[in-house]
């Protein structure tokens, strides 16, 4: 029996699984999310060059299981299987990313376009669309070309903005007839904080990286709006990540300030420039000259540079004032101690499961950024790593169903009770995939993937549950 026949059978036999009582607003979009580097494999196929992560993943001992995603889920070649799985579950929205290393193997501004890769993505996008699945495309999700570090300074390079704008231009031009929802970057916070810095540069480097990424985002959005949006009619934004931050002791003013400061240093760092035109006041005061400044022209370009608010959210923490040890760096600058409440259960990543956190962060975002602008919110990632060391445990992923039920109930509550204009939700992830430094040891998928020369996809209970949930909420 082929893999696809097995999948079809499992779906046909599965009973309508019980779901939490929710009623989402009409037209609400339910989808799944992946990223090129985490699912594509095909690391040397069709003229692709290497990303910095290709290099890292091949360093001995760098990933927890010693594996690199050279083949991984092989979605580059096996996307028809992904489409079949999504279709059978009634999932009509798919967030994916394009690999810069495939489109522009030489990476930089003006470098030649790899026609084979362009053709590949066009075929793939068409196949999704033909299956009734709308693509939402992130231009870069964690896989910056290695050449940007060999011939430059990565995201902090003085040419980065031009390089990114050129890459974005190529993508808008080649795929804009098929893609109507674009995201420039995934999680600039992670880019800035995890990019790494020499000890003597850590007091400024994260802020410089963030600044460049924000300017590159704004440049790409301006280009899209001027050159492509009028004829292509698409929308463009950026994906921001944040936890929900609670004061450890809600009656303690210092803890309350700490929670507010954490939100500013995580989300406000990017959301304030994009929705209000400048960095949060608390960061400007704290960092002084170490925080780069925007010119008036740049502020104007940034303000309003997102047609939707795209949020990745997984967990929550409680905050106390104070953490700073010696030296200026991002964490000392924020000066917040974070921990979990004792009663919170943890996922296999060690992240706390706090379903009301997604409600509370959506309400914060609505109040601060989207109520005034009318910009819709999409939850572009949410999900959990479940301990699934055997196939059996993988398929019977009840904790994941409970997580999704509880988090989705809270998204619905934000929409229905608080009037938050949240219009979409993308589960992370469709597939078990390469979880960066954790290799393949952490499983986030609605579909189990057993990696090897020929990766095997097996739908989990959570996929069947999601199918039924979507059906009840359409
Ligand atoms: C990232 C994904 C990652 C997920 C789980 C998100 O922050 O966008 O690439 O796999 O978290 O760690």
């Amino acid at each position: 029996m082929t893999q696809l026949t097995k999948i079809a059978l499992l779906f046909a036999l599965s009973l309508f699984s019980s779901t939490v009582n929710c009623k989402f607003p009409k037209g609400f979009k339910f989808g799944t999310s992946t990223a090129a580097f985490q699912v594509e494999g095909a690391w040397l196929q069709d003229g692709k060059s290497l990303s910095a992560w290709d290099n890292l993943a091949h360093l001995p001992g760098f990933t927890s299981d010693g594996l690199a995603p050279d083949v991984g889920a092989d979605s580059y070649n096996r996307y028809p299987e992904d489409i079949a799985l999504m279709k059978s579950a009634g999932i009509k929205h798919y967030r994916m990313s394009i690999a810069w290393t495939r489109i522009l193997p030489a990476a930089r501004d003006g470098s030649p376009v790899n026609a084979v890769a362009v053709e590949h993505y066009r075929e793939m996008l068409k196949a999704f669309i033909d299956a009734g699945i709308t693509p939402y495309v992130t231009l870069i999700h964690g896989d910056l070309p290695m050449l940007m570090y060999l011939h430059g300074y990565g995201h902090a390079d003085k040419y980065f903005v031009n390089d990114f704008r050129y890459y974005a231009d190529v993508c808008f031009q080649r795929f804009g007839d098929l893609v109507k929802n674009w995201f420039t970057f995934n999680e600039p916070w992670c880019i800035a904080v995890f990019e790494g810095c020499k000890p003597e540069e850590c007091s400024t480097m994260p802020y410089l990286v963030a600044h460049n990424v924000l300017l590159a985002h704004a440049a790409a959005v301006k280009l899209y709006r001027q050159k492509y949006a009028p004829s292509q009619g698409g929308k463009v934004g950026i994906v921001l990540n944040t936890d929900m931050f609670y004061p450890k002791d809600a009656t303690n003013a210092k803890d309350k300030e700490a929670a507010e400061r954490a939100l500013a240093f995580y989300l406000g760092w990017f959301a304030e420039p994009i929705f209000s035109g400048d960095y949060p006041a608390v960061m400007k005061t704290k960092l002084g000259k170490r925080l780069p400044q925007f010119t008036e022209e740049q502020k104007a370009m940034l303000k309003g540079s997102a047609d939707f608010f795209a949020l990745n959210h997984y967990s929550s923490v409680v905050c106390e004032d104070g953490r700073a040890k010696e030296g200026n760096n991002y964490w000392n600058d924020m000066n917040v101690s974070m921990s979990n409440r004792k009663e919170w259960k943890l996922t296999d990543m060690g992240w706390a499961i706090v379903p009301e956190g997604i409600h509370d962060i959506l309400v914060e975002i609505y109040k601060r950024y989207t109520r005034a602008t009318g910009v819709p919110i999409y939850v572009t990632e949410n999900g959990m790593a479940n301990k699934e060391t055997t196939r059996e445990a993988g398929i019977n992923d009840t904790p994941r169903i409970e997580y999704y039920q509880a988090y989705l109930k809270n998204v619905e509550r934000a929409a229905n009770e608080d009037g938050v204009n949240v219009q979409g939700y993308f589960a992370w992830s469709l597939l078990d995939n390469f979880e960066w430094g954790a290799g393949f040891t952490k499983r986030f998928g609605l579909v189990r993937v057993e990696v090897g020369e020929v990766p095997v996809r097996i739908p989990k209970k959570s996929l069947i549950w999601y199918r039924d949930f979507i059906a009840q909420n359409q």
Side-chain angles (χ1 to χ4, degrees):
M1 205 190 299
T2 68
Q3 188 57 24
L4 288 178
T5 326
K6 270 194 242 162
I7 293 169
L9 206 62
L10 203 127
F11 268 74
L13 293 177
S14 65
L15 297 170
F16 207 68
S17 56
S18 70
T19 65
V20 69
N21 185 22
C22 273
K23 202 66 215 159
F24 274 82
K26 225 180 153 29
F28 194 91
K29 302 172 177 74
F30 294 100
T32 59
S33 214
T34 64
F37 191 72
Q38 296 179 269
V39 299
E40 277 186 351
W43 78 303
L44 297 175
Q45 206 172 317
D46 292 348
K48 173 181 166 295
S49 65
L50 299 187
S51 71
W53 257 100
D54 278 308
N55 282 46
L56 291 175
H58 285 93
L59 294 177
F62 193 85
T63 56
S64 307
D65 50 8
L67 295 178
D70 302 355
V71 178
D74 195 26
S75 284
Y76 188 80
N77 298 301
R78 290 171 193 277
Y79 67 82
E81 291 181 33
D82 298 342
I83 292 176
L85 283 159
M86 288 185 63
K87 224 180 147 180
S88 61
I91 302 167
K92 298 203 175 77
H93 302 272
Y94 184 54
R95 174 174 169 246
M96 53 169 271
S97 76
I98 286 178
W100 186 334
T101 47
R102 295 190 192 278
I103 303 297
L104 302 175
R108 311 298 301 250
D109 186 6
S111 60
V113 176
N114 176 3
V116 181
V118 168
E119 200 37 43
H120 164 83
Y121 281 120
R122 286 195 61 80
E123 286 302 312
M124 175 176 162
L125 288 162
K126 278 190 212 154
F128 273 95
I129 294 166
D130 287 349
I133 300 168
T134 305
Y136 296 68
V137 175
T138 312
L139 289 171
I140 177 155
H141 189 133
D143 49 356
L144 195 68
M146 188 61 207
L147 287 168
M148 305 292 283
Y149 294 97
L150 291 178
H151 301 309
Y153 221 57
H155 297 96
D157 196 74
K158 63 176 174 176
Y159 300 114
F160 179 74
V161 174
N162 285 344
D163 291 337
F164 181 74
R165 183 179 28 216
Y166 173 67
Y167 165 58
D169 197 357
V170 170
C171 290
F172 296 149
Q173 191 196 22
R174 308 291 171 119
F175 308 120
D177 56 329
L178 303 171
V179 179
K180 303 300 168 192
N181 297 282
W182 292 100
F183 305 108
T184 53
F185 290 87
N186 182 64
E187 303 191 351
W189 181 88
C190 289
I191 299 174
V193 173
F194 300 135
E195 174 103 328
C197 45
K198 297 180 190 145
E200 67 277 17
E201 290 175 341
C202 288
S203 65
T204 50
M205 188 55 84
Y207 307 114
L208 183 59
V209 169
H211 199 72
N212 253 5
V213 168
L214 279 163
L215 292 176
H217 157 79
V221 171
K222 183 175 175 192
L223 174 88
Y224 184 74
R225 286 179 176 167
Q226 285 180 349
K227 193 167 162 187
Y228 297 103
S231 57
Q232 295 180 354
K235 296 200 180 315
V236 60
I238 182 169
V239 176
L240 305 182
N241 65 297
T242 190
D243 289 352
M244 176 65 200
F245 302 98
Y246 295 104
K248 184 162 187 188
D249 172 357
T251 63
N252 178 326
K254 284 272 180 205
D255 286 5
K256 284 208 255 178
E257 267 176 42
E260 185 61 38
R261 201 161 60 246
L263 191 61
F265 269 78
Y266 267 75
L267 186 65
W269 190 5
F270 302 95
E272 292 283 328
I274 290 168
F275 289 89
S276 314
D278 206 355
Y279 290 120
V282 64
M283 291 186 80
K284 293 207 269 187
T285 312
K286 173 82 202 180
L287 301 168
K289 288 210 165 58
R290 288 190 290 124
L291 187 67
Q293 287 182 8
F294 296 117
T295 63
E296 289 310 312
E297 197 187 335
Q298 289 168 340
K299 285 183 190 172
M301 210 162 106
L302 273 158
K303 190 171 173 183
S305 61
D307 295 325
F308 26 62
F309 195 114
L311 167 74
N312 288 357
H313 174 83
Y314 289 88
S315 186
S316 298
V317 290
V318 292
C319 300
E320 283 171 280
D321 183 48
R323 143 184 194 122
K325 307 283 178 302
E326 276 175 27
N328 291 325
N329 63 42
Y330 172 77
W331 296 104
N332 285 346
D333 292 335
M334 189 194 324
N335 194 24
V336 175
S337 289
M338 296 178 190
S339 55
N340 295 329
R341 290 204 195 284
K342 276 198 307 293
E343 61 273 22
W344 288 345
K345 285 197 191 141
L346 305 182
T347 69
D348 198 30
M349 295 294 279
W351 300 347
I353 302 175
V354 190
E356 65 273 21
I358 200 164
H359 167 271
D360 296 345
I361 193 67
L362 284 169
V363 169
E364 285 303 324
I365 289 171
Y366 176 59
K367 284 202 247 162
R368 289 164 198 249
Y369 306 116
T370 67
R371 181 164 52 191
T373 55
V375 166
I377 305 174
Y378 291 127
V379 177
T380 35
E381 282 181 33
N382 175 243
M384 63 104 74
N386 184 38
K387 200 161 192 59
E388 293 164 8
T389 39
T390 61
R391 183 180 280 193
E392 213 44 42
I395 298 174
N396 294 304
D397 59 340
T398 313
R400 179 172 292 107
I401 296 176
E402 287 168 2
Y403 178 100
Y404 279 132
Q405 281 187 330
Y407 271 74
L408 274 159
K409 178 72 205 158
N410 275 281
V411 174
E412 184 236 30
R413 198 158 66 80
N416 288 340
E417 287 178 16
D418 303 273
V420 173
N421 52 342
V422 53
Q423 295 183 1
Y425 175 95
F426 294 73
W428 182 273
S429 176
L430 174 65
L431 305 174
D432 286 344
N433 58 53
F434 179 76
E435 179 52 30
W436 309 109
F440 293 95
T441 61
K442 302 293 175 199
R443 295 179 178 271
F444 277 89
L446 295 163
V447 174
R448 179 173 173 87
V449 178
E450 295 179 352
V451 295
E453 252 175 67
V454 180
V456 177
R457 286 159 168 69
I458 307 166
K460 302 182 191 177
K461 258 194 190 159
S462 57
L463 183 71
I464 296 165
W465 171 83
Y466 198 36
R467 175 196 71 181
D468 297 347
F469 184 88
I470 293 173
Q472 285 178 8
N473 279 280
Q474 290 290 289

